[in-house]
């Protein structure tokens, strides 16, 4: 099966999950996670009509960007070291992994030098797994309040990674809790933080994430195949 055929299947599944939950497919942006893909496979992704690509390692991503970049919209989805911000800031349109003040400070510094405003997702460790990055849900509110001083960061939403489980249904409470947190924070009406987006759902669990309100899906293996 080609990447294009897999994408058709994925799109079908998204449409079905939308129908089930009273949502519209247009509300959802698919970020094709290309971290394990060759340049040829990435070209197939673009040819299939996918315009958003996600990478999680700065060095690998930059090499690919040099070859393929420019036209597509690039998302940085992995843990971001502060000393790498200067390399990614003017190439990646979105950052999905803002999870600490020191990183925000560095993004602010670099973005302001380039005259850019960077839409960022605040990464939340909803499941509490020690292996996962992200803020504790209770820390998010004060973190967002502190971001007000950073004029070049737009906190557009929250991001989480669900635990890897056999039965994707088990991820539902994690996604539901991120949605709940979003609604609570939106209720505060922060002028600097729209928080309208939810980046959640990967190959294993994206239909559940759609049902629970995801607006950005990060999909790798279900497009690439194994
Ligand atoms: C690799 C990765 C994904 C995609 O995972 P798949 O299971 O291959 O869809 C999504 N988000 C992040 C942060 C990743 O590192």
């Amino acid at each position: 099966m080609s990447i294009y055929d897999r994408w058709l299947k994925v799109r079908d599944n998204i449409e079905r999950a939308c129908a089930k939950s009273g949502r519209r497919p247009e509300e959802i942006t698919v970020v094709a996670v290309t971290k394990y893909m060759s340049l040829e496979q990435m070209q197939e992704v673009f040819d299939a009509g996918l315009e958003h690509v996600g990478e999680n390692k700065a060095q690998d991503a930059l090499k690919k960007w040099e070859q393929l970049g420019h036209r597509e919209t690039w998302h940085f989805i992995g843990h971001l070291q502060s000393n790498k911000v200067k390399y990614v800031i003017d190439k990646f349109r979105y950052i999905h992994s803002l999870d600490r003040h020191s990183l925000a400070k560095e993004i602010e510094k670099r973005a302001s030098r380039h005259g850019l405003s960077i839409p960022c997702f605040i990464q939340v460790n909803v499941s509490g797994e020690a292996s996962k990055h992200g803020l504790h849900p209770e820390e998010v509110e004060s973190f967002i309040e502190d971001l007000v001083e950073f004029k070049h960061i737009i906190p557009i939403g929250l991001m989480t990674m669900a635990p890897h489980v056999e039965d994707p249904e088990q991820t539902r409470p994690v996604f539901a809790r991120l949605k709940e947190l979003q609604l609570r924070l939106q209720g505060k009406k922060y002028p600097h933080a729209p928080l309208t987006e939810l980046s959640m759902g990967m190959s294993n669990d994206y239909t559940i994430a759609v049902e629970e309100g995801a607006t950005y899906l990060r999909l790798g293996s279900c497009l690439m195949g194994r």
Side-chain angles (χ1 to χ4, degrees):
M1 209 191 271
S2 67
I3 287 178
Y4 182 67
D5 290 332
R6 285 194 202 92
W7 166 227
L8 292 183
K9 239 177 84 182
V10 167
R11 214 163 58 176
D12 213 50
N13 291 337
I14 293 171
E15 278 170 17
R16 238 172 302 152
C18 281
K20 204 171 150 188
S21 52
R23 302 191 60 207
R24 291 178 302 119
E26 303 83 66
E27 297 169 19
I28 292 152
T29 301
V30 171
V31 178
V33 177
T34 50
K35 61 189 181 193
Y36 297 131
M37 290 189 196
S38 64
L39 294 176
E40 289 72 27
Q41 287 171 313
M42 287 181 74
Q43 195 55 56
E44 269 188 71
V45 165
F46 302 150
D47 292 344
L50 286 148
E51 293 163 3
H52 294 261
V53 290
E55 287 278 334
N56 71 335
K57 292 215 172 71
Q59 247 140 356
D60 299 349
L62 289 165
K63 272 187 227 141
K64 291 174 167 180
W65 190 90
E66 295 299 336
Q67 302 284 331
L68 299 166
H70 314 281
R71 268 186 311 133
E72 288 71 27
T73 303
W74 290 63
H75 296 247
F76 199 89
I77 61 169
H79 181 65
L80 182 54
Q81 289 171 276
S82 294
N83 63 2
K84 299 280 162 59
V85 172
K86 58 178 173 287
Y87 304 120
V88 306
I89 198 74
D90 59 338
K91 303 181 179 66
F92 286 75
R93 173 88 170 280
Y94 295 82
I95 295 173
H96 288 242
S97 47
L98 177 55
D99 63 354
R100 56 199 193 280
H101 192 80
S102 56
L103 178 60
K105 216 170 137 180
E106 183 65 16
I107 293 171
E108 171 65 22
K109 179 171 129 189
R110 301 291 172 180
S112 75
R113 279 189 197 174
H114 286 273
L116 295 169
S117 290
I118 309 291
C120 293
F121 292 86
I122 294 151
Q123 185 171 353
V124 187
N125 185 357
V126 176
S127 62
E129 289 167 283
S131 60
K132 288 209 158 57
H133 293 287
L135 293 159
H136 268 262
E138 315 83 68
E139 297 171 327
V140 177
E141 184 174 333
S142 69
F143 183 75
I144 287 172
E145 286 170 4
D146 290 346
L147 290 179
V148 71
E149 62 171 305
F150 299 136
K151 304 300 180 203
H152 299 84
I153 291 177
I154 311 166
I156 57 163
L158 306 176
M159 178 274 219
T160 201
M161 291 175 78
H164 192 83
V165 287
E166 277 299 309
D167 176 10
E169 191 55 45
Q170 290 177 4
T171 61
R172 191 181 295 278
V174 171
F175 298 141
R177 264 158 63 203
L178 197 69
K179 176 76 196 180
E180 237 176 70
L181 181 61
Q182 179 201 29
L183 290 174
R184 201 168 75 231
L185 296 167
Q186 278 184 316
K188 308 253 170 196
K189 302 202 185 305
Y190 298 116
H192 71 289
L195 299 173
T196 49
E197 310 302 325
L198 288 177
S199 169
M200 59 186 196
M202 305 180 15
S203 292
N204 197 41
D205 51 28
Y206 67 94
T207 58
I208 310 282
V210 167
E211 288 172 26
E212 296 301 324
T215 60
Y216 284 78
L217 306 174
R218 307 179 312 270
L219 305 179
S221 48
C222 66
L223 294 172
M224 186 173 115
R226 284 249 184 247

